Amino acid sequence: MSLSTSASILLASSISKELKTIAEKVFQNQRITFEEGVLLYEHGELGYLGTLANYVREKKNGNFVYFNRNFHIEPTNICVFDCKFCSYSRLLKQKEGTWEMSEDEILEKVKSYNGKPITEVHIVGGVHPKMGLMYFANLIKQIKDIRPDIHVKAFTAVELEYMCRKAKVSYEEGLRILKDHGQDSLPGGGAEIFDEVIRKQICEDKCTADEWLKIHETAHLLGMPSNATILYGHVESFEHRIDHMNRLRLLQDKTNGFNTFIPLKFRNKENQMSHIPEVSVIEDLRNYAISRIFLDNFGHIKAYWPMIGRNTAQLSLSFGVDDIDGTIDDSTKIYTMAGAEEQNPALSTQELVELIKQAKRIPIERDTLYNVITDYSKVDSSN
Ligand code: V47
Ligand code: SF4
């Protein structure tokens, strides 16, 4: 046997020993370290990762898969920032391809859902230089006047940082104003990759990682829960993905204010990073699984089905995912413009329920805070 063959056998056996140690830790409900997270990315094969992630997923969420009935409002795609991965935003001075909804159009859209059992409106968009904190606070108040029952999940930390800076208020003051006007929680966008070097390469002019984390921490302290995302599969390394999740895990230890973690796969259509190939479905599934294993203090892992498509969303339910977002009603353009699987994302509740049942899981319609609205194991699905 040559020296290099025996060295690689030794290496392989030490890696398999480490993978065995990680498996033991997971089955004993112990937290894995940064280095172990990286090792999972480097050496964990799909079946092994799926087994571990499914163990964690079933311990936390049994056989349930959550979804909600929601729609999106994207008030504008005009944005002062220039994220290299963004296919959706346009500068104010650009004439083509921009949209700006008027206040009346936004309120009409909300009214169009009157009588429909929608529980959440998700409001995000470009960072428009002329739409400020008080404009949005009053908008939310009017939305709540129309639909007092609806949960308003609005504004990424990127939008909030800009609004607070322009209005010359602290994050706490800004968030308090929005909360008093009816905002209930924050979506998870704008996190991208926290590592400062990568952030500079892909979105250098928007809020920093520390600002993103501070805004979410402040929201949690004010009683506004939030989500967290990661944008993966571009120029980042496995270390950067684990570093990102580690910063979230530390904040969650402190506040317990995150509801769910949403891995977002980089899509490469018509943006400044279009030369970067997209990662495979196998890598998507590995990434969901490692997120589930690493983020031991997050209740839920969400697969955003309009982006990865309904087939991969179904598969992800065996790799740590317990939430597939909502009905959406064809109300978002962020992903369709970036080349997502679903070009007109809308699923009826019945279709979502069927999709989950086909994966042999129990569909649960939830509200934004994961209170159960309907447990479909107790409902005749022909209804
Ligand atoms: O921050 C932009 C991402 C995010 C691309 O909280 C892209 O429930 C892939 O955060 N390829 C905004 N991703 C959307 C978001 C979100 C979505 C669904 C649910 C929730 C939630 C939050 O979209 C941005 C950015 O990371 N994004 N361009 C692209 N080319
Ligand atoms: Fe603007 Fe958001 Fe697009 Fe960045 S990702 S350019 S902040 S709309």
Side-chain angles (χ1 to χ4, degrees), residues 85-87 122 153 187-190 192 227 229 231 262 264-267 271 302 304 325 334-335 338:
F85 51 80
C86 185
S87 319
H122 178 155
K153 182 175 79 180
E192 324 311 358
N227 292 335
T229 56
L231 180 72
I262 312 158
L264 297 171
K265 174 197 186 113
F266 164 67
R267 308 303 309 235
N271 54 49
K302 185 195 280 190
Y304 187 53
D325 202 80
I334 297 181
Y335 287 104

Side-chain angles (χ1 to χ4, degrees), residues 79 81-83 85-86 88-89 125-127 158 206:
C79 188
F81 297 123
D82 182 28
C83 303
F85 51 80
C86 185
Y88 152 96
S89 71
V127 179
V158 175
K206 72 181 181 188

Side-chain angles (χ1 to χ4, degrees), residues 27 43 56 106 149 175 178 187 216 254 260 272 277 295 306 345 355:
F27 291 135
H43 299 290
V56 180
I106 293 173
D149 58 315
L175 284 164
L178 291 165
H216 282 255
K254 218 165 143 183
T260 182
Q272 296 170 67
L295 290 173
L355 192 143

